[in-house]
């Protein structure tokens, strides 16, 4: 069974840093892209960042570019999100997700969050 | 403001059917596959539909997806009270090189 378990959330002051972790099990971790998605209180889903299976390619939403860094340790089956220069608007539940992605025979691209963790809460106080 | 546009809410009676629209552009829905997610109250999102119209195991066939041009639609037939949830569309935006979601649609089963 695929399982994703996030940790590392908490209360931090504006301008501070936090590192989230996501422990994965039940699948070949290094074969899949992974992503972080967040949800501010009472708001919708916001894709934050993604990383390829090898870790060689990373992608970011404009809202976090230059402040957040996604990484992975395939030897530990763990995904990370280093969050620096945190702002009040970064307050959210952060979900880790196993991504299925690729091109079909017609060269259309698919990218979807196949499995989600339960999330970890980050609160940034101003 | 979300890259993909969904209606904030829809409602229908039990047993009826409902559709939820998702509008995008040529750089996202127009060239990439669409997925749909269901988020029940107080829980994490769950994949409901992938690659426009495919259902993962566990998704009842009452749920269907379609895509035409730069828009996609989620259909739900035989509505049940347990379907009350927030529904999100998502895809990849090739211009942004980023994942994108719709703002979400709250389904109320009256």
């Amino acid at each position: 069974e695929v399982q994703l378990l996030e940790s590392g959330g908490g209360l931090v002051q504006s301008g501070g840093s936090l590192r989230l972790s996501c422990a994965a099990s039940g699948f070949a971790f290094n074969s899949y892209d992974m992503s972080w998605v967040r949800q501010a209180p009472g708001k919708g889903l916001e894709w934050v960042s993604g990383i390829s299976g090898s870790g060689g390619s990373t992608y970011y939403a404009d809202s976090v570019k230059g402040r957040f860094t996604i990484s992975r340790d395939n030897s530990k089956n763990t995904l990370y999100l280093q969050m620096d220069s945190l702002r009040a608007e970064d307050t959210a539940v952060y979900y880790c997700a196993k991504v299925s992605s690729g091109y079909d025979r017609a060269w259309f691209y698919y990218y979807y969050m196949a499995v989600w963790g339960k999330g970890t809460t980050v609160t940034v106080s101003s | 403001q979300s890259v993909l546009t969904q209606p904030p809410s829809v409602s229908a009676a039990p047993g009826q059917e409902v559709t939820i629209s998702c509008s995008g552009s040529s750089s996202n829905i127009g060239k990439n596959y669409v997925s749909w997610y269901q988020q029940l109250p107080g829980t994490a999102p769950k994949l409901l539909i992938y690659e426009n119209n495919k259902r993962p195991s566990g998704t009842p066939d009452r749920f269907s997806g379609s895509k035409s041009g730069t828009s996609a639609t989620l259909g739900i037939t035989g509505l049940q009270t347990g379907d009350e949830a927030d529904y999100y569309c998502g895809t990849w935006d090739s211009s942004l090189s980023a994942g994108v979601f719709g703002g979400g649609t709250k389904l109320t089963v009256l």
Side-chain angles (χ1 to χ4, degrees):
Chain A
E1 181 194 3
V2 174
Q3 290 194 341
L4 300 170
L5 184 61
E6 302 94 336
S7 61
L11 175 63
V12 61
Q13 285 193 324
S14 179
S17 298
L18 213 54
R19 188 176 86 153
L20 305 184
S21 299
C22 172
S25 61
F27 66 102
F29 183 69
N30 60 2
S31 295
Y32 288 89
D33 288 15
M34 298 291 293
S35 70
W36 289 97
V37 177
R38 69 184 180 184
Q39 186 170 34
K43 302 297 185 182
L45 302 176
E46 180 187 13
W47 181 89
V48 172
S49 183
I51 187 168
S52 61
S54 67
S57 296
T58 57
Y59 308 91
Y60 298 93
D62 286 344
S63 57
V64 306
K65 205 171 289 183
R67 300 187 300 121
F68 289 11
T69 303
I70 191 171
S71 63
R72 63 193 298 161
D73 185 336
N74 286 344
S75 68
K76 295 182 178 179
N77 287 356
T78 302
L79 175 72
Y80 302 100
L81 185 67
Q82 177 66 41
M83 304 186 296
D84 298 320
S85 302
L86 282 162
R87 306 166 180 167
E89 53 264 37
D90 295 318
T91 294
V93 175
Y94 284 74
Y95 296 102
C96 158
K98 171 179 175 270
V99 172
S100 285
S101 63
Y103 289 93
D104 70 358
R105 278 176 279 187
W107 288 101
F108 283 101
Y109 189 62
Y110 60 91
Y111 184 96
Y112 58 91
M113 275 54 78
V115 181
W116 299 66
K118 287 181 166 37
T120 186
T121 300
V122 172
T123 303
V124 183
S125 65
S126 52
Chain B
Q1 190 163 340
S2 303
V3 173
L4 306 180
T5 300
Q6 297 180 234
S9 64
V10 296
S11 63
Q16 296 298 304
E17 64 183 78
V18 71
T19 60
I20 298 173
S21 61
C22 175
S23 178
S25 69
S26 59
S27 64
N28 42 67
I29 293 178
K31 66 192 314 181
N32 298 317
Y33 282 102
V34 177
S35 52
W36 289 90
Y37 305 88
Q38 178 191 59
Q39 187 175 33
L40 296 169
T43 70
K46 183 184 80 169
L47 178 67
L48 193 66
I49 297 285
Y50 66 100
E51 293 179 24
N52 299 341
N53 55 19
K54 296 180 182 177
R55 288 185 299 272
S57 60
T59 296
D61 59 8
R62 300 186 296 106
F63 294 86
S64 64
S66 64
K67 184 184 111 168
S68 178
T70 58
S71 294
T73 301
L74 174 69
I76 312 172
T77 60
L79 279 170
Q80 303 174 1
T81 55
D83 296 333
E84 285 202 334
D86 293 321
Y87 293 85
Y88 297 89
C89 58
T91 187
W92 183 260
D93 191 297
S94 300
S95 294
L96 297 174
S97 290
V100 290
F101 288 104
T105 299
K106 182 176 183 61
L107 169 64
T108 301
V109 181
L110 303 166

